């Protein structure tokens, strides 16, 4: 079983590294399962909270945030949309993937939900798993509890990430 995590400094850097690695691997013919964040240009100073993810197995895009309306302090994850993404990934888990990629082990996964079962299924099938790990202490603790000492920590370097997945 092979699982690795990567975490980069700076807002959106982990998402960028993970998405670019997935794009490179797809261009090389790798069959991927999981999700990556759809990278969007945001105007400087903008409070832009819409988040879309791309399901790697079928190239579907799902908006996983919901607007709370005028005057709200921020956007929240949309549980129904997250469930839709999880189902799409789990349905593809029976296909022969070369790698499983998850843009972020987040609050849902830290609390035992989200993509945890899909990660476990990939590992059981011998599929390498690459996970983005954010700066949240709860997410980091949840990840450590979930994988124990199985995970390798990769540097925030595109070549290192690609070499690990290809290996």
């Amino acid at each position: 079983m092979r699982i690795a995590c990567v975490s980069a400094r700076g807002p959106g850097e982990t998402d960028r590294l993970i998405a670019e690695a997935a794009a490179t691997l797809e261009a090389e013919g790798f069959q991927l399962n999981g999700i990556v964040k759809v990278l969007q240009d945001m105007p400087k100073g903008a409070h832009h909270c819409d988040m879309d993810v791309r399901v790697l197995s079928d190239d579907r895009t799902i908006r996983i945030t919901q607007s709370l309306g005028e005057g709200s302090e921020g956007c929240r994850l949309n549980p129904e949309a997250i469930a839709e993404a999880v189902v799409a990934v789990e349905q593809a888990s029976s296909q022969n993937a070369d790698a499983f990629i998850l843009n972020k082990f987040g609050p849902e996964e830290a609390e035992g939900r989200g993509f945890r079962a899909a990660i476990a299924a990939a590992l059981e099938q011998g599929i390498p798993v690459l996970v983005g790990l954010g700066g949240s202490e709860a997410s980091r603790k949840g990840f450590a509890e979930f994988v124990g000492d199985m995970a390798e920590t990769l540097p925030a370097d595109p070549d290192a990430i690609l070499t690990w997945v290809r290996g």
Side-chain angles (χ1 to χ4, degrees), residues 42-46:
M42 289 184 277
K44 291 218 185 265

Side-chain angles (χ1 to χ4, degrees), residues 2-163:
R2 294 179 58 225
I3 183 167
C5 64
V6 65
S7 182
R9 292 181 186 254
E13 279 303 297
T14 302
D15 286 320
R16 183 188 62 76
L17 282 169
I18 297 279
E20 289 176 359
T24 298
L25 293 165
E26 287 174 318
E28 293 174 359
F30 277 70
Q31 297 297 311
L32 303 176
N33 193 11
I35 62 168
V36 295
K37 183 177 178 184
V38 175
L39 303 177
Q40 303 172 8
D41 290 328
M42 289 184 277
K44 291 218 185 265
H47 177 70
H48 185 74
C49 60
D50 292 337
M51 186 186 309
D52 298 331
V53 295
R54 181 171 65 91
V55 178
L56 295 169
S57 59
D58 64 12
D59 207 32
R60 177 182 353 167
T61 299
I62 300 171
R63 173 144 301 158
I64 61 168
T65 52
Q66 58 188 341
S67 175
L68 298 178
E70 190 70 32
S72 69
E73 291 297 311
C75 290
R76 301 273 192 270
L77 291 176
N78 180 341
E80 291 177 7
I82 298 251
E84 179 185 349
V86 169
V87 167
V89 167
E90 288 177 344
Q91 286 175 341
S93 69
S94 61
Q95 300 172 4
N96 287 331
D98 297 311
F100 181 96
I101 298 176
L102 179 63
N103 70 308
K104 180 179 179 182
F105 190 95
E108 289 290 305
E109 290 75 26
E111 293 183 13
R113 298 182 301 268
F115 290 91
R116 278 176 78 140
I119 293 169
L123 290 170
E124 288 171 2
Q125 294 173 33
I127 298 168
V129 174
L130 174 65
V131 176
L133 193 55
S136 154
E137 186 61 35
S139 293
R140 288 182 174 278
K141 182 180 177 190
F143 183 74
E145 289 171 356
F146 178 55
V147 300
D149 62 358
M150 287 187 345
E152 181 177 344
T153 300
L154 301 176
D157 173 70
D159 291 333
I161 294 166
L162 291 170
T163 297

